[in-house]
Amino acid sequence: MQENSTKKIIFSGIQPTGTFTLGNYIGAVSNWGKLQDEYRCIYSIVDMHAITVRQEPAELRKNTLAAYALLLACGIDLTKTILFVQSHVKAHAELNWVLNCSAQFGELTRMTQFKEKSEKHPEDINAGLFTYPVLQAADILAYNADLVPVGADQKQHLELARNIAQRFNHKYGDTFTLPEPYIPQTGAKIMSLQEPTQKMSKSDENPNAVISILDEPDVIIRKFKRAVTDSEACVRFAEGKDGINNLLTIYSVVSGKSVSEAEKEFDGKGYGDFKLAVGEAVSDKLKSVREDYARLIADKAYLTECCKKSALTASAVSQRIIDKVYRKVGYLTVK
């Protein structure tokens, strides 16, 4: 990726914990490719975050390479964008420690996701789980990112990153850019097909609740046919119609039509016709992703080389920030 100082920097990361869902794709990944011409994009597969929950090592390695291939299949262009694996760039761990010393215990205790994950994994409430929002801050601040694509559930963590950066700047002088949220206007949050008041999640134990972006067409259509709706049998976006609202949002994003256009299209039609149309539209949208992924994952030598080159580029960019931070806090330089 060629640097261009006139473009703002966007940073985002995604965990390599299984195949991306339709929610990941619509809410984040599909937008990543669209941003490449307007911004300097830096994207990371955050495998360091992944181990806050116990992982099978071989599975984590496999999922990390698969996530890299998936992101390329979803439109990431390595001539425009830095796409790297987090653990390949030492600046993240180094900056994490310095920023831990600018984070406050009290503000970390208020992080909603720590509370949720602690309840979900009571057998392993580790220190990394408690402090990983600081690592998220390091991810962002290591590149002085201007913007961070966030969903509603990540706003709190971005605000923490801003607070830590402000605190550091106040103590040591102007160092970090204060990152702003970048929130897509449509489809920012895709809900479960079976529990439409809850976010679609890779970890959902009900396979019918989640669309994987690598699901075959017949699987996608079957899941949409089973999607929870309501008894009104009217395709319209309204309060109390969570299932239909979710399906209308999905259909709007993948078809490019507005919600009102979709409502008119299915006026007088039943839910069966509507759910079939949504399933077919999603399947068609994901066809190229499935095909490109199959081609990429079969060439592991190419993927490994891409990872190496991108890590070197990300390291060169982030090292400038690390050197500046180390001087500011008073570390002795022996270069």
Side-chain angles (χ1 to χ4, degrees):
M1 183 186 79
Q2 295 184 348
E3 292 191 20
N4 186 334
S5 60
T6 64
K7 290 184 176 181
K8 288 188 174 182
I9 299 171
I10 276 189
F11 178 89
S12 194
I14 193 165
Q15 290 199 32
T17 50
T19 304
F20 305 153
T21 69
L22 180 65
N24 299 137
Y25 181 75
I26 289 176
V29 176
S30 66
N31 293 308
W32 287 11
K34 298 173 186 175
L35 298 171
Q36 294 175 119
D37 292 327
E38 187 177 353
Y39 300 98
R40 286 180 57 203
C41 296
I42 302 174
Y43 299 137
S44 180
I45 298 163
V46 290
D47 55 340
M48 293 166 68
H49 287 291
I51 66 168
T52 58
V53 176
R54 290 172 184 165
Q55 303 286 334
E56 173 58 42
E59 194 70 14
L60 179 59
R61 282 188 286 271
K62 177 184 175 182
N63 286 342
T64 300
L65 198 64
Y68 202 95
L70 272 173
L71 289 172
L72 294 181
C74 289
I76 300 303
D77 182 344
L78 294 179
T79 66
K80 300 177 180 179
T81 293
I82 301 174
L83 171 63
F84 67 98
V85 177
Q86 184 187 29
S87 64
H88 294 173
V89 179
K90 64 180 183 179
H92 293 253
E94 293 175 344
L95 186 56
N96 177 46
W97 175 251
V98 176
L99 297 184
N100 263 315
C101 298
S102 287
Q104 299 298 304
F105 180 84
E107 61 190 353
L108 291 179
T109 63
R110 293 190 291 273
M111 294 294 104
T112 303
Q113 286 202 4
F114 170 70
K115 297 174 184 177
E116 292 175 350
K117 288 193 174 185
S118 297
E119 291 175 1
K120 194 170 184 179
H121 302 281
E123 77 289 350
D124 187 28
I125 305 175
N126 57 75
L129 190 64
F130 182 68
T131 63
Y132 89 96
V134 184
L135 178 57
Q136 282 189 325
D139 297 337
I140 298 163
L141 299 178
Y143 303 93
N144 262 340
D146 299 288
L147 297 168
V148 181
V150 292
D153 59 338
Q154 288 294 331
K155 287 182 181 179
Q156 189 184 37
H157 287 174
L158 182 58
E159 190 59 36
L160 175 68
R162 286 174 56 85
N163 290 343
I164 292 172
Q166 285 177 315
R167 197 173 292 133
F168 190 96
N169 289 350
H170 179 73
K171 184 174 183 179
Y172 296 106
D174 189 33
T175 307
F176 295 118
T177 299
L178 300 185
E180 298 286 345
Y182 178 91
I183 303 173
Q185 295 299 308
T186 305
K189 193 171 184 180
I190 301 302
M191 313 306 284
S192 161
L193 298 185
Q194 294 298 310
E195 296 286 345
T197 58
Q198 299 179 12
K199 185 179 176 181
M200 186 177 286
S201 171
K202 300 176 190 176
S203 60
D204 199 311
E205 295 180 358
N206 185 345
N208 290 316
V210 181
I211 300 294
S212 160
I213 65 172
L214 296 180
D215 278 345
E216 292 296 327
D218 59 330
V219 175
I220 292 173
I221 290 170
R222 184 172 69 248
K223 289 180 179 180
F224 274 106
K225 284 182 176 179
R226 295 174 178 174
V228 169
T229 53
D230 53 58
S231 60
E232 189 183 31
C234 178
V235 180
R236 65 186 182 92
F237 198 98
E239 186 176 351
K241 292 174 67 67
D242 298 311
I244 290 297
N245 293 348
N246 188 39
L247 296 180
L248 277 168
T249 298
I250 293 170
Y251 186 70
S252 173
V253 173
V254 300
S255 69
K257 300 175 182 178
S258 68
V259 169
S260 61
E261 288 172 336
E263 289 174 331
K264 291 177 183 177
E265 181 181 351
F266 294 98
D267 184 29
K269 296 182 180 179
Y271 284 170
D273 290 337
F274 176 53
K275 291 196 284 188
L276 176 60
V278 179
E280 290 176 341
V282 169
S283 179
D284 290 345
K285 184 75 172 180
L286 296 177
K287 180 181 178 183
S288 63
V289 175
R290 291 191 299 268
E291 293 174 347
D292 288 347
Y293 173 79
R295 173 179 54 81
L296 287 162
I297 201 63
D299 192 348
K300 290 184 172 55
Y302 170 75
L303 292 174
T304 301
E305 186 63 23
C306 289
C307 286
K308 289 180 181 178
K309 288 181 178 179
S310 295
L312 288 173
T313 305
S315 295
V317 174
S318 57
Q319 191 60 45
R320 293 196 292 268
I321 301 295
I322 291 295
D323 290 345
K324 186 176 183 179
V325 167
Y326 275 23
R327 286 196 304 271
K328 294 263 187 171
V329 301
Y331 287 164
L332 178 65
T333 303
V334 292
K335 291 181 181 178

